[in-house]
Structure formats: structure tokens, C-alpha cells
Amino acid sequence: MPAVVNKEKCTGCATCVDICPSAAIELVDDKAVVNADECVDCETCVDECPESALHME
């Protein structure tokens, strides 16, 4: 399952965008959005998010 963003916690810092190895995350209206088709379920974004705004489903 792909990573899921908690929009209330996401501050739009783009850490996840920068570290995603499959380029599956982009910022839309200053919030992270995960492209489920591109996500490889590596959990790198979950581990690196300074706001703990991402989790795996």
C-alpha cells in the first residue's frame, strides 16, 4: 500500500518530495500528495518526515 499524507500535519516542507526514490510525491497547494501508482512502498518518506505527516496504509 502506498504512503498516505495527513494533510493536517503536513507543513509543505518538501522533505518527502526531495527524498522519494521513485518521485511519487509532489506538493499541491503546499501539501504533499502521493501518486499511488508510482509509490514503491519503501517507507523512506515516513521515516524522514519531520512532522510525522506520512504513514503507510
Side-chain angles (χ1 to χ4, degrees), residues 7 10 12 17 25-34:
K7 301 273 186 203
C10 180
V17 174
I25 307 173
E26 64 179 329
L27 290 184
V28 176
D29 296 327
D30 294 323
K31 301 289 181 181
V33 175
V34 178

Side-chain angles (χ1 to χ4, degrees), residues 4-46:
V4 176
V5 180
N6 179 330
K7 301 273 186 203
E8 301 213 355
K9 288 185 176 181
C10 180
T11 61
C13 72
T15 298
C16 56
V17 174
D18 295 338
I19 55 106
C20 180
S22 61
I25 307 173
E26 64 179 329
L27 290 184
V28 176
D29 296 327
D30 294 323
K31 301 289 181 181
V33 175
V34 178
N35 179 334
D37 293 333
E38 298 294 325
C39 179
V40 295
D41 307 332
C42 68
E43 297 189 37
T44 301
C45 59
V46 174

